[in-house]
Amino acid sequence: MIAITCLGSSSAGNAYRITDGHTALLLEAGFPYKSIQRALQFRMSEIAGCLITHEHGDHSRAAADIMRAGIPVYTSRGTAHALGLAGHRLRAVVALDPFTLGTWTIMGFGVEHDAAEPLGWLLANQEGDKLLFLTDSYYCRYKFQGLTHIMIECNYSVDIVNRRVLAGELHPAQKKRLIRSHFSLEHVKEFLKANDTRQVDEIWLLHLSDGNSDAELFKRQIQELTGAVVQVADR
């Protein structure tokens, strides 16, 4: 049984603790290390590894400190190079090349973002649970079978963005950057329709924009579409 704890999910920082009851992992490290320590009640020794999707600070801020604390960091070579990470605690991940970490089998896959070599993650445990982690991408080229848990970015709604551009609250250049770097509510719906969601128990909506999202609306529409339990990650 997978348990997910959100430490924070926004442009100010992203980090999540997941466990299958045997191996605890940290997904992203986008806060100062001391903040992550406090959020995890200083039980850092329980974390078997930290997976980082890309080098932007709101996802990677504590990466070097986490390695100094003795926790391996798993990320692509491109992300590691962009962050200046090196040493025996670094685990360079090759997309589509699965690896084992405790009771998890993990595979990174390429995503589309304005970063060096961003990855999403597919994690399967020995009890048959399968978790997809997809954030900071404007498109996903892959489809997935047998998912039980989905953690997916739902940054904005096209309707809200268009309304704010017309009202002069959002510059058109900001809209252009959003569309080419992040997943929208509309993207999430299309992604879920294209994938096998029959076994999905829980969906987490991540990284909602402060000004371009509506948490209650997003949660309601994804619940109506899938019938799964939907959680909106706290900012």
Side-chain angles (χ1 to χ4, degrees), residues 45-217:
S45 62
E46 295 180 359
I47 302 297
C50 175
L51 312 183
I52 293 180
T53 58
H54 66 291
E55 69 270 25
H56 293 167
D58 58 329
H59 296 262
S60 66
R61 188 165 291 118
D65 288 331
I66 283 173
M67 289 172 61
R68 279 191 284 271
I71 299 170
V73 165
Y74 294 75
T75 193
S76 69
R77 290 188 185 280
T79 298
H81 179 74
L83 289 170
L85 299 178
H88 69 285
R89 298 293 182 190
L90 175 64
R91 306 286 190 269
V93 175
V94 176
L96 306 183
D97 188 2
F99 60 94
T100 300
L101 177 49
T103 48
W104 297 96
T105 299
I106 303 171
M107 184 179 73
F109 57 91
V111 301
E112 317 299 328
H113 194 50
D114 54 353
E117 191 183 352
L119 295 175
W121 303 107
L122 182 65
L123 303 97
N125 66 16
Q126 297 172 356
E127 296 170 354
D129 299 316
K130 192 180 288 186
L131 183 152
L132 178 77
F133 185 80
L134 174 60
T135 189
D136 289 59
S137 183
Y138 63 86
Y139 176 71
C140 181
R141 77 192 79 155
Y142 302 105
K143 293 182 180 179
F144 304 92
Q145 298 289 324
L147 299 175
T148 57
H149 295 72
I150 298 175
M151 300 176 71
I152 188 167
E153 177 182 40
C154 194
N155 187 264
Y156 65 96
S157 158
V158 173
D159 290 341
I160 295 173
V161 167
N162 287 340
R163 191 162 62 240
R164 294 191 68 214
V165 170
L166 285 173
E169 298 171 0
L170 188 70
H171 194 281
Q174 292 175 288
K175 173 184 173 180
K176 184 176 180 181
R177 197 260 169 180
L178 265 180
I179 290 172
R180 292 196 58 80
S181 58
H182 289 281
F183 239 49
S184 69
L185 172 65
E186 293 78 11
H187 286 131
V188 173
K189 288 180 178 177
E190 291 305 313
F191 175 83
L192 293 171
K193 289 176 184 175
N195 283 271
D196 175 12
T197 60
R198 290 172 295 178
Q199 299 178 53
V200 172
D201 293 326
E202 191 173 40
I203 298 172
W204 281 69
L205 303 180
L206 313 178
H207 208 321
L208 272 65
S209 162
D210 287 339
N212 302 315
S213 66
D214 181 331
E216 287 303 314
L217 173 71

